Amino acid sequence: GNQKATHSENSQGKKSQHAEEAIFYMNCRAAYLTVFKSSLENIKSKEQLTLVLQQAGRNPSQKTINKYWTSQTTSLNFDDFCAILKKEKPATKKELLEAFGKIDTDKAGYVLLDELCKILTTRGEQMTWEEVTTITKQADFNCSGKLDYNKFCDLYLTTSEQCCKAARDRLEVDPRLRQQQLGNQTENSSEGISLPVSKPSPRSSRKADHKLAKGDSRAPSRPSSAQSSKASTSTTVTVGASSSSRSTKLIIEPDTMKDWQCAQSKGCFYLEEGGEIISHKYRLHLPQRSAVCVTIKPLNIPQPEGKSCRWLSVDTALFILKDNETQENLQLVGFTELQTKEMFGWRGELGPGVYWLLPFTTGCRLRKGKSQITGEAKLVWRDEDGELALTKEFQAALLDIFETIDLDGNGLLSLEEYNFFELRTSGEKCDQEAWAVCKENFEMKRNELTRQGFMDLNLMEANDRDGDPWDLWVTLLSLGYNKALEMTEACPFVIDICAERCKPRIKAISLEAGGSQLSRAVCRFVVHQGEAKGLDGSANITIHTYRSGSRISSVIENKSENKVIIHVNNEQSKNCLNNRGLTVFAVEVAPKSMMVSQHVMPLNEQEEWIYSCVHSLV
């Protein structure tokens, strides 16, 4: 009886989760179809992105738009739009009141217009005067220039809900739009990877800002059942305890590589609010043809006794692509599939020239956690003379941060290295003039910031806020720390390049999401190296599955002239976790394209794990 009751509760929980997901995607589709004729139509400009987000009840600033529409973006589609809405959640009244409460220190229920404008244009995510003016025009300021922000919050939320409701109403009354409600959110490759007409190898469609390896996925639009599927195929892989981390041959053979020339660079995966993962990207230069060994592994930063590096269990990998003039459709030349413990590597011969190194993690283990932090670590304190000082715990965290952002490992921060830190934490860069001011105020060597200089810079920031740690926490949270000063949403890593006949040079170029190049590389590698299985009863749909050490990746290839929706069911898997965070989900694949279905890893590598997945055509 207890088992039946538990089973009933679990079933109800799943139904509730699916219902919430269905409502979310209905709202997404309703907003999208308010602006576009079809969910297959792409967003072609920043203006269209702004408009469609507003229809979904969001009010994005220009900085938010620039976050998703970069210099490389030419289009975004419905999948990208859904992913953005998952990240840019609408503000609640509680959050709005808390924000105003930080301004209204007297708790009077009012804020002055001048004070509000000053804060909105100078602190946090700074707004332009035009944006502020647009907001204040809608607000009800009294003759004394005061705003009753409780009423303003109600107005804001009401307006937002009215936008969403109008979009939903339009969807309900238009039969043509209702037919388009069944769609997808793959979050791995928004437009998919287009296939050429004459041969099966993938090529790029238009350049887009694809999102690879995020932490969640769309729930199925239809319930899981064999009766709803036209064709299906199942794949089962059983892996023994601990065998997933063994390699048949060593990545590095010291005796044969002792005279090789090497280069090294550090970097980091950062988990964004909505589950997207960004990282450094690198350019590798080889002056002549040479045998090369490339490795990547999580960076082991020594921790105090009793503390561990949580990120050491995160899987890391590198895709090696040959550069070309157009920067499109780069040739995939290597992937770090060899594994020794936490290190992944690739060995081979590369010709002279420039290569791109794209770091990759599946997102299975680098994902949003559910653990609750009971207390907030203290960052600053005042000594007997009333002078501010950094706590020992905060100093230790800052030293770890310094170790992570010191990409070349020389114990100093160059302007280039510091700017990666600034872009991640504030979205802005430090120019030469500002760097000269830093040189006057903080310790530097050879025009590079020392550890002590970095510590003093953070102390100055605390003094600028008179001990208010708010800005310091903004920095820490953006770097993957929680309120207990634990790095839980980032994974620093180190890349080593060794070449037999020349000196390799590696340089970090950007800090951003993997994009279409990484998405294309993943699909291409899995399709070329994995096991292919056609869906029974459908000759045009193929599921490619590839295992590399402790990772299993699957890609769906659609050779037909029509889009397809594939139902993915992992309910028979054991001791597994995937990058989507769901056991059952649906994937929509565009015509003549392919995209990642999922990445899977063992929950506990010390125990046997079974990957058992059924892909069904809905």
Side-chain angles (χ1 to χ4, degrees):
N2 289 337
Q3 289 179 343
K4 288 183 178 179
T6 303
H7 177 74
S8 177
E9 289 174 3
N10 291 338
S11 298
Q12 291 297 325
K14 288 181 180 179
K15 287 181 181 178
S16 175
Q17 180 185 3
H18 290 173
E20 290 177 7
E21 292 282 336
I23 292 171
F24 171 77
Y25 286 102
M26 181 189 72
N27 287 334
C28 291
R29 191 166 292 277
Y32 203 83
L33 294 177
T34 301
V35 179
F36 302 104
K37 294 180 179 180
S38 166
S39 60
L40 296 178
E41 190 174 342
N42 288 340
I43 300 169
K44 299 291 183 60
S45 66
K46 287 184 177 182
E47 292 73 24
Q48 286 185 340
L49 178 58
T50 301
L51 180 59
V52 74
L53 287 174
Q54 288 172 340
Q55 291 298 327
R58 309 308 195 261
N59 188 27
S61 66
Q62 192 58 50
K63 184 176 179 180
T64 300
I65 295 298
N66 291 339
K67 177 180 175 182
Y68 300 106
W69 194 281
T70 68
S71 58
Q72 294 182 334
T73 308
T74 57
S75 66
L76 298 171
N77 70 4
F78 177 69
D79 293 325
D80 298 314
F81 172 65
C82 293
I84 292 171
L85 289 188
K86 277 199 169 185
K87 286 178 264 185
E88 304 298 330
K89 297 184 183 299
T92 65
K93 185 171 182 179
K94 180 182 178 182
E95 291 170 337
L96 293 170
L97 290 176
E98 285 178 354
F100 277 110
K102 291 182 179 179
I103 306 172
D104 179 23
T105 54
D106 298 331
K107 307 302 179 187
Y110 295 89
V111 292
L112 292 172
L113 173 59
D114 293 343
E115 184 181 8
L116 179 62
C117 292
K118 181 180 178 181
I119 289 174
L120 291 178
T121 55
T122 60
R123 291 189 63 175
E125 185 177 333
Q126 298 173 11
M127 301 175 69
T128 65
W129 277 105
E130 291 76 12
E131 290 172 328
V132 172
T133 302
T134 301
I135 292 175
T136 54
K137 279 182 180 179
Q138 307 298 322
D140 184 16
F141 289 92
N142 63 23
C143 57
S144 301
K146 293 181 178 180
L147 170 70
D148 182 338
Y149 56 81
N150 187 62
K151 291 182 179 179
F152 177 75
C153 290
D154 289 336
L155 173 64
Y156 174 88
L157 294 172
T158 300
T159 304
S160 177
E161 177 53 34
Q162 285 174 346
C163 282
C164 294
K165 186 176 183 302
R168 287 195 303 269
D169 291 345
R170 180 172 177 268
L171 187 67
E172 284 299 315
V173 299
D174 191 330
R176 178 184 60 84
L177 296 180
R178 272 208 311 274
Q179 291 174 2
Q180 299 183 31
Q181 285 190 36
L182 180 62
N184 86 301
Q185 171 53 30
T186 67
E187 297 186 338
N188 284 333
S189 176
S190 52
E191 285 188 21
I193 306 303
S194 298
L195 299 173
V197 175
S198 58
K199 54 184 179 179
S201 60
R203 65 174 173 81
S204 167
S205 57
R206 284 170 297 179
K207 221 173 186 182
D209 190 20
H210 294 16
K211 277 85 181 160
L212 180 66
K214 298 185 185 176
D216 47 14
S217 165
R218 181 173 184 177
S221 301
R222 294 177 61 173
S224 170
S225 72
Q227 295 175 350
S228 65
S229 303
K230 297 177 182 177
S232 67
T233 187
S234 62
T235 303
T236 301
V237 179
T238 302
V239 185
S242 299
S243 67
S244 59
S245 61
R246 299 178 190 144
S247 178
T248 55
K249 49 185 176 178
L250 293 174
I251 297 173
I252 298 177
E253 298 170 348
D255 291 340
T256 62
M257 296 175 55
K258 59 183 179 181
D259 296 326
W260 290 26
Q261 299 184 68
C262 299
Q264 185 184 87
S265 182
K266 288 181 279 188
C268 196
F269 294 110
Y270 294 108
L271 187 60
E272 296 279 57
E273 187 61 35
E276 182 181 18
I277 295 173
I278 69 170
S279 74
H280 295 83
K281 292 182 179 179
Y282 303 84
R283 186 175 286 145
L284 168 67
H285 177 256
L286 294 175
Q288 67 182 76
R289 176 172 290 277
S290 174
V292 175
C293 178
V294 181
T295 65
I296 182 173
K297 65 179 180 179
L299 178 64
N300 192 351
I301 304 175
Q303 297 292 299
E305 188 175 350
K307 292 191 72 175
S308 61
C309 299
R310 295 190 176 194
W311 57 88
L312 289 181
S313 65
V314 173
D315 62 294
T316 59
L318 276 174
F319 284 92
I320 307 166
L321 299 105
K322 185 72 172 72
D323 195 16
N324 61 33
E325 293 181 0
T326 64
Q327 294 290 301
E328 289 191 37
N329 220 9
L330 302 183
Q331 179 189 356
L332 174 64
V333 296
F335 171 66
T336 53
E337 57 180 321
L338 299 174
Q339 181 182 2
T340 300
K341 296 183 179 179
E342 73 278 1
M343 179 186 290
F344 285 82
W346 176 85
R347 290 180 305 183
E349 187 161 300
L350 295 176
V354 176
Y355 298 84
W356 283 95
L357 302 182
L358 305 184
F360 166 70
T361 182
T362 60
C364 293
R365 292 178 177 165
L366 183 58
R367 58 194 306 162
K368 292 290 179 182
K370 297 180 180 179
S371 58
Q372 296 294 321
I373 306 301
T374 53
E376 181 177 302
K378 195 173 182 181
L379 304 184
V380 295
W381 64 288
R382 292 189 182 275
D383 60 20
E384 295 177 354
D385 299 325
E387 295 293 322
L388 274 176
L390 307 180
T391 63
K392 289 183 179 179
E393 295 78 11
F394 185 35
Q395 289 184 51
L398 287 175
L399 289 175
D400 286 353
I401 291 170
F402 186 95
E403 186 70 21
T404 299
I405 63 179
D406 176 21
L407 300 184
D408 61 10
N410 71 343
L412 301 168
L413 293 183
S414 65
L415 174 58
E416 202 168 35
E417 290 171 327
Y418 181 76
N419 271 333
F420 281 122
F421 166 78
E422 277 293 307
L423 284 170
R424 178 62 190 161
T425 57
S426 69
E428 299 175 352
K429 289 179 106 175
C430 177
D431 58 23
Q432 290 288 348
E433 185 177 347
W435 193 243
V437 174
C438 282
K439 191 173 183 178
E440 294 175 3
N441 292 277
F442 306 109
E443 183 181 84
M444 284 197 182
K445 290 181 181 178
R446 302 189 298 275
N447 200 37
E448 295 188 329
L449 191 65
T450 66
R451 285 182 175 84
Q452 187 57 51
F454 182 67
M455 305 284 275
D456 292 341
L457 190 151
N458 282 273
L459 178 59
M460 182 202 71
E461 187 171 349
N463 275 298
D464 285 348
R465 301 299 182 198
D466 196 26
D468 182 353
W470 188 80
D471 282 346
L472 298 176
W473 276 118
V474 169
T475 296
L476 287 165
L477 294 174
S478 68
L479 294 174
Y481 282 81
N482 62 20
K483 287 301 183 77
L485 284 181
E486 300 167 327
M487 190 192 294
T488 57
E489 295 185 358
C491 173
F493 56 78
V494 58
I495 298 171
D496 286 284
I497 315 288
C498 295
E500 183 181 20
R501 294 189 289 273
C502 61
K503 175 67 176 176
R505 295 201 307 270
I506 180 174
K507 182 178 182 181
I509 300 300
S510 62
L511 179 60
E512 59 189 15
S516 59
Q517 293 291 2
L518 182 57
S519 181
R520 187 160 44 244
V522 173
C523 286
R524 186 175 300 171
F525 186 82
V526 172
V527 168
H528 288 178
Q529 300 294 327
E531 176 190 359
K533 275 190 176 182
L535 258 64
D536 295 337
S538 179
N540 291 320
I541 311 299
T542 305
I543 309 300
H544 301 268
T545 305
Y546 176 75
R547 179 190 162 200
S548 172
S550 58
R551 294 183 289 234
I552 292 177
S553 298
S554 64
V555 165
I556 303 170
E557 182 180 9
N558 176 19
K559 297 178 183 177
S560 73
E561 301 287 343
N562 304 304
K563 71 171 183 178
V564 296
I565 297 170
I566 304 297
H567 186 271
V568 185
N569 189 321
N570 297 293
E571 290 177 325
Q572 298 304 312
S573 294
K574 294 181 180 179
N575 188 29
C576 291
L577 70 165
N578 66 21
N579 63 304
R580 295 176 175 273
L582 290 174
T583 303
V584 179
F585 53 91
V587 177
E588 181 182 290
V589 189
K592 298 288 184 181
S593 71
M594 59 178 69
M595 63 175 57
V596 173
S597 170
Q598 63 180 338
H599 302 287
V600 179
M601 294 189 69
L603 187 62
N604 182 354
E605 290 194 37
Q606 304 307 312
E607 298 177 2
E608 178 185 78
W609 55 290
I610 300 174
Y611 168 72
S612 182
C613 178
V614 178
H615 286 82
S616 306
L617 181 64
V618 177

